[in-house]
Amino acid sequence: MQKVGRRVLLGMGAGATAYVAHHLWNQKAESSNAQQRQAGGVINVYSARHYDTDKALYNGFTEQTGIRVNLIEAEADALIERIRSEGSRSPADVLITVDAGRLWRAQQAGLLQPIQSRVLNSVVPANLREPQGHWFGLSRRVRVLIYDKSKVNPNQLSTYEDLANPRWRRQILTRSSSHVYNQSLVGSLLAIHGPQRTEEWVRGLVANFARPPEGNDTAQIRACAAGVGSIAITNHYYLARLMASDKAEDRAVAEKVGLFFPNQRDRGAHVNICGGGVVAGAPNRQAAIRFLEYLVSPRAQEMFAMANFEYPVRAGVPVHPIVQRFGNFRGQNVNAAVFGRNNAEALRLMDRAGWR
């Protein structure tokens, strides 16, 4: 795998023979690279996932197919804007990002093309992919409740809706409304309850905040363990990371809290995705489709699960032992495209209700 911006430092003064040999090798490599590009032997993947472990995923694709992955990493919004600004000359073949809301934004900007793939359609559940094939879920992320075990009995917990109950006054911890994870959660509630009931819920939730929203999901778990509030809304894998940490202080935080899957007696917990799609003007369209198909293969799905504590989208793939300790859960069946589409309305509603 080749990463943009990586500089190759040539050792100098090692002798003329070595220098000439190295120079000739570089020329041969460049020629080979050019031939590979012409033959579709390289794909350009724009990714908003910032996990070093993903490199093993991409290397596995190269080993299996001979197609190299040229990786361009940045935040999702920056990548979307970059593809937009590059226009028809964009080298991007695949866009990978987290959260259906961002994939929806890319789709609405005309940056993704619909594809038909028997593999993707058979592996990825219908609610985790865009109905016309513009993008597909590659892993699942569950929005859960983290609770202070010294203050909350899990039998007291039930649903997202119950978090607006006045009995949780000054107890709820969450990140800002500007973050897409929360926008998608509210977007899913909009799809289920409609705008009036959802806004009433958000107002009740805001009234129960332990503090003004700040920090990421890990910060909410730490604040919960420290007694700032007693219930935090986070993605499941943030707790798994603390549990697996080689730092004693992280593991101590994890020991003080528990994890609860909401709405298990009705529709199930909110499930979001990491997903990917083929860019509208992809120079290597077939290789891009092949890459997405590889990412839902049993081998790649197990790497998603084991490396970053995510849930696979492919049935029958084992989860990480730490995640297995969370127990089984029921996920809601709202299509990710629906709550992705609702993100903009969700943010307006959250602003009106005082969720900053």
Side-chain angles (χ1 to χ4, degrees):
M1 181 189 68
Q2 180 184 22
K3 187 172 180 178
V4 168
R6 181 175 293 175
R7 297 182 180 179
V8 178
L9 302 179
L10 301 177
M12 302 303 294
T17 300
Y19 175 80
V20 169
H22 194 100
H23 181 67
L24 291 174
W25 185 91
N26 278 343
Q27 284 186 323
K28 183 178 180 180
E30 285 300 316
S31 175
S32 174
N33 289 347
Q35 291 172 2
Q36 280 188 307
R37 292 188 185 96
Q38 292 172 2
V42 177
I43 60 168
N44 296 299
V45 175
Y46 285 33
S47 176
R49 287 175 60 94
H50 305 300
Y51 310 126
D52 290 340
T53 51
D54 281 2
K55 296 174 184 178
L57 268 175
Y58 307 144
N59 288 338
F61 176 71
T62 300
E63 291 169 7
Q64 186 178 106
T65 66
I67 301 171
R68 291 189 302 109
V69 176
N70 190 44
L71 180 64
I72 294 89
E73 292 179 306
E75 296 301 319
D77 291 340
L79 289 174
I80 291 171
E81 183 53 38
R82 175 169 175 171
I83 296 172
R84 192 203 309 268
S85 65
E86 288 171 342
S88 61
R89 294 184 294 180
S90 177
D93 293 304
V94 174
L95 173 66
I96 294 177
T97 186
V98 295
D99 198 279
R102 289 169 173 144
L103 290 164
W104 177 261
R105 291 174 200 171
Q107 179 186 345
Q108 288 304 104
L111 305 182
L112 300 176
Q113 61 174 287
I115 63 169
Q116 290 299 317
S117 165
R118 181 186 58 82
V119 172
L120 290 166
N121 288 339
S122 64
V123 172
V124 182
N127 66 308
L128 302 181
R129 51 184 161 90
E130 198 277 323
Q132 304 304 316
H134 285 88
W135 43 265
F136 299 83
L138 304 173
S139 66
R140 294 181 294 154
R141 293 147 167 251
V142 187
R143 204 80 177 139
V144 299
L145 307 183
I146 302 297
Y147 61 93
D148 182 340
K149 291 191 289 190
S150 71
K151 297 179 180 178
V152 177
N153 185 319
N155 292 330
Q156 297 175 275
L157 301 173
S158 57
T159 64
Y160 300 108
E161 287 85 347
D162 185 62
L163 298 178
N165 190 311
R167 66 175 170 161
W168 301 120
R169 193 71 46 143
R170 293 188 293 276
Q171 297 301 309
I172 307 300
L173 296 155
T174 188
R175 68 200 301 170
S176 167
S177 64
S178 65
H179 198 277
V180 70
Y181 294 167
N182 284 334
Q183 292 168 22
S184 287
L185 173 61
V186 175
S188 71
L189 291 171
L190 276 168
I192 295 163
H193 297 309
Q196 181 176 343
R197 185 175 169 188
T198 301
E199 185 165 345
E200 291 172 358
W201 174 77
V202 173
R203 291 185 184 280
L205 183 73
V206 170
N208 289 344
F209 282 173
R211 64 177 182 188
E214 62 178 62
N216 59 15
D217 279 9
T218 301
Q220 312 314 314
I221 299 174
R222 293 188 189 281
C224 185
V228 177
S230 62
I231 302 172
I233 304 172
T234 80
N235 282 0
H236 76 275
Y237 50 86
Y238 286 92
L239 177 60
R241 289 176 186 172
L242 291 172
M243 294 169 67
S245 175
D246 56 5
K247 297 179 180 179
E249 57 267 33
D250 288 343
R251 297 193 302 274
V253 166
E255 281 292 323
K256 294 180 179 179
V257 301
L259 181 147
F260 184 84
F261 294 106
N263 296 85
Q264 293 304 285
R265 294 185 179 181
D266 47 48
R267 65 180 181 273
H270 173 65
V271 177
N272 210 321
I273 60 171
C274 162
V278 177
V279 176
N284 302 293
R285 183 177 184 273
Q286 291 306 313
I289 295 173
R290 193 174 178 186
F291 178 68
L292 291 178
E293 291 175 342
Y294 160 79
L295 291 180
V296 300
S297 67
R299 175 186 178 187
Q301 285 288 287
E302 188 167 355
M303 293 174 75
F304 274 119
M306 297 302 167
N308 194 45
F309 310 104
E310 295 168 273
Y311 288 99
V313 296
R314 188 183 189 103
V317 175
V319 299
H320 194 284
I322 287 178
V323 175
Q324 194 170 33
R325 288 162 56 184
F326 297 156
N328 297 326
F329 74 96
R330 178 183 180 184
Q332 69 183 25
N333 200 38
V334 176
N335 190 284
V338 173
F339 63 73
R341 181 180 64 222
N342 285 348
N343 272 27
E345 183 182 356
L347 181 58
R348 290 192 294 269
L349 183 154
M350 294 158 86
D351 283 343
R352 288 197 305 270
W355 187 343
R356 304 298 185 218

